[in-house]
Amino acid sequence: MAPPTARLLLRTPRLSLSTAAASLFSPPSKAVLYDQHGPPDQVLRVADLPPVELGERDVFVKMLAAPINPSDINRVQGVYPVRPPVPPAAVGGYEGVAQVHALGPAVTRPLSPGDWVIPSPPSFGTWKTYIVKPEHVWHKVCNDMPVEYAATVTVNPLTVLRMLQDFVKLSPGDAVVQNGTTSIVGQCVIQLAKVQGIRTINIIRDRPGSEEAKEKLKQLGADEVFTEEPALGFNCVGGNAAALILKLLRQGGTMVTYGGMSKRPVTVSTSSFIFKKWMSSDKADDCRRLIDYLLGLVQEGKLKYEMELSPFDDFGLALDKALGKHGSQPKQVLRF
């Protein structure tokens, strides 16, 4: 069997840069665009885009793979706080892995044709066959792993690692609790916590297939797995805390309130927590170091999650799967 690198490189056709008036241009590209926000299966379209000139400090890449993340869907819908403005038309996608094909004459970073790179911090527009962007956008990664892991390392695994490191100083033997455990983020929490000697208490939905899901999570290293719908809840706080308990109770469950210590609800927007902390340019070097660490765990077999590679030409089918039209499906990763 050929090594992974050889197998993956065969997907990339030979490219040639056109020249005009001593300038270099990428080939024409195909991209998934949207001109307005709305239902993704209605507003997204595949279109041809003209060549792009390669500037002196630009890097020209061919995309190898890019996922369809839930946050990508939310950007198209217009409900995600961090999103490109439309109109004009925006290219979908936020992370992915590409192969370097040409460098501008003034590029100083240690990059060479054939290198694998990812946008770091992630940037808009990865659902596109060819991309030209400044050299500082790109971070070189190793190319001896499945392409889908390099394409998906930033949004989910990196988020998990920052959550485990940035809020509480955890020591081996400590425990963390999470819901949404069957998601890729949840699976990464289990595995990355295990590497650090941290125990995980995991809550999943009580629905058909939950016993099978428990077993899979245990195989990943989960210490405890419980369903999220208890029969009885006790509340002494009120406010938002009481609403949380009610949400967790199963159908017909009972909440007993024996106190009301909360005088007013405490509400902090999700965007205040997530979008202003980790993805800023001043955190790029730190994030890139952690990305290299995560990809090292992938190479060692200590970090894995289920994905499905889908040809870019079958974008419509991949989108339908990502939208849940075909039932529960693995994360869809576009293969260019």
Side-chain angles (χ1 to χ4, degrees), residues 107-131:
V107 168
T108 58
R109 298 201 174 212
L111 295 174
S112 302
D115 288 344
W116 282 16
V117 291
I118 64 173
S120 177
S123 58
F124 304 124
T126 57
W127 295 351
K128 185 180 179 182
T129 51
Y130 307 123
I131 296 177

Side-chain angles (χ1 to χ4, degrees), residues 55-101:
E56 288 197 349
R57 302 196 66 135
D58 286 342
V59 178
F60 159 53
V61 305
K62 180 190 183 297
M63 290 302 297
L64 296 176
I68 304 177
N69 288 316
S71 54
D72 296 321
I73 300 298
N74 293 155
R75 286 188 180 91
V76 176
Q77 294 167 331
V79 298
Y80 205 72
V82 179
R83 59 182 185 267
V86 292
V91 178
Y94 193 55
E95 66 172 336
V97 62
Q99 187 179 54
V100 174
H101 276 271

Side-chain angles (χ1 to χ4, degrees), residues 177-211:
V177 60
Q178 65 164 338
N179 57 15
T181 307
T182 57
S183 68
I184 286 185
V185 168
Q187 295 173 53
C188 289
V189 167
I190 291 170
Q191 296 171 87
L192 294 178
K194 182 180 179 180
V195 169
Q196 300 177 43
I198 299 166
R199 301 174 64 249
T200 57
I201 302 168
N202 305 279
I203 302 171
I204 65 174
R205 294 179 184 176
D206 189 6
R207 59 185 179 184
S210 60
E211 290 304 315

Side-chain angles (χ1 to χ4, degrees), residues 8-336:
L8 293 171
L9 294 183
L10 288 175
R11 296 180 184 145
T12 305
R14 292 190 65 182
L15 302 177
S16 60
L17 295 178
S18 61
T19 60
S23 296
L24 295 177
F25 290 80
S26 71
S29 61
K30 287 186 177 294
V32 179
L33 306 176
Y34 56 105
D35 305 280
Q36 60 183 341
H37 294 123
D41 52 356
Q42 297 179 25
V43 301
L44 288 172
R45 59 187 174 89
V46 179
D48 294 317
L49 297 180
V52 176
E53 184 176 1
L54 184 69
E56 288 197 349
R57 302 196 66 135
D58 286 342
V59 178
F60 159 53
V61 305
K62 180 190 183 297
M63 290 302 297
L64 296 176
I68 304 177
N69 288 316
S71 54
D72 296 321
I73 300 298
N74 293 155
R75 286 188 180 91
V76 176
Q77 294 167 331
V79 298
Y80 205 72
V82 179
R83 59 182 185 267
V86 292
V91 178
Y94 193 55
E95 66 172 336
V97 62
Q99 187 179 54
V100 174
H101 276 271
L103 307 171
V107 168
T108 58
R109 298 201 174 212
L111 295 174
S112 302
D115 288 344
W116 282 16
V117 291
I118 64 173
S120 177
S123 58
F124 304 124
T126 57
W127 295 351
K128 185 180 179 182
T129 51
Y130 307 123
I131 296 177
V132 174
K133 286 192 175 181
E135 61 175 318
H136 68 80
V137 169
W138 304 106
H139 174 56
K140 180 179 175 180
V141 298
C142 50
N143 61 1
D144 56 349
M145 70 180 65
V147 69
E148 58 268 34
Y149 282 96
T152 60
V153 68
T154 303
V155 169
N156 290 155
L158 180 59
T159 295
V160 170
L161 194 57
R162 303 297 318 226
M163 290 193 298
L164 288 172
Q165 293 185 355
D166 288 5
F167 294 96
V168 175
K169 183 175 176 54
L170 296 169
S171 301
D174 286 344
V176 298
V177 60
Q178 65 164 338
N179 57 15
T181 307
T182 57
S183 68
I184 286 185
V185 168
Q187 295 173 53
C188 289
V189 167
I190 291 170
Q191 296 171 87
L192 294 178
K194 182 180 179 180
V195 169
Q196 300 177 43
I198 299 166
R199 301 174 64 249
T200 57
I201 302 168
N202 305 279
I203 302 171
I204 65 174
R205 294 179 184 176
D206 189 6
R207 59 185 179 184
S210 60
E211 290 304 315
E212 180 182 355
K214 285 183 181 181
E215 182 58 31
K216 288 182 178 179
L217 295 172
K218 288 278 190 177
Q219 292 175 2
L220 288 178
D223 293 287
E224 302 290 346
V225 185
F226 302 101
T227 57
E228 70 175 4
E229 298 184 344
L232 176 65
F234 300 115
N235 166 53
C236 70
V237 178
N240 288 348
L244 176 60
I245 290 180
L246 284 172
K247 182 179 180 180
L248 292 176
L249 290 176
R250 73 185 185 192
Q251 187 71 26
T254 299
M255 181 176 74
V256 176
T257 296
Y258 64 96
M261 294 184 294
S262 174
K263 302 301 182 183
R264 64 179 62 180
V266 178
T267 303
V268 181
S269 68
T270 302
S271 60
S272 296
F273 278 122
I274 299 176
F275 306 111
K276 296 182 180 179
K277 184 171 180 65
W278 296 325
M279 297 303 182
S280 57
S281 58
D282 63 330
K283 298 283 187 180
D285 289 342
D286 191 28
C287 287
R288 290 175 177 183
R289 176 181 59 81
L290 296 177
I291 285 169
D292 293 340
Y293 166 75
L294 290 166
L295 292 178
L297 294 180
V298 170
Q299 291 175 301
E300 295 172 14
K302 296 179 180 178
L303 179 62
K304 55 188 176 182
Y305 38 89
E306 189 177 3
M307 294 173 281
E308 180 181 4
L309 282 169
S310 298
F312 182 61
D313 289 342
D314 293 339
F315 174 77
L317 176 59
L319 178 63
D320 284 347
K321 289 182 178 180
L323 292 173
K325 293 185 178 182
H326 295 265
S328 179
Q329 297 285 330
K331 178 190 285 290
Q332 295 297 299
V333 179
L334 301 173
R335 185 187 65 209
F336 294 87

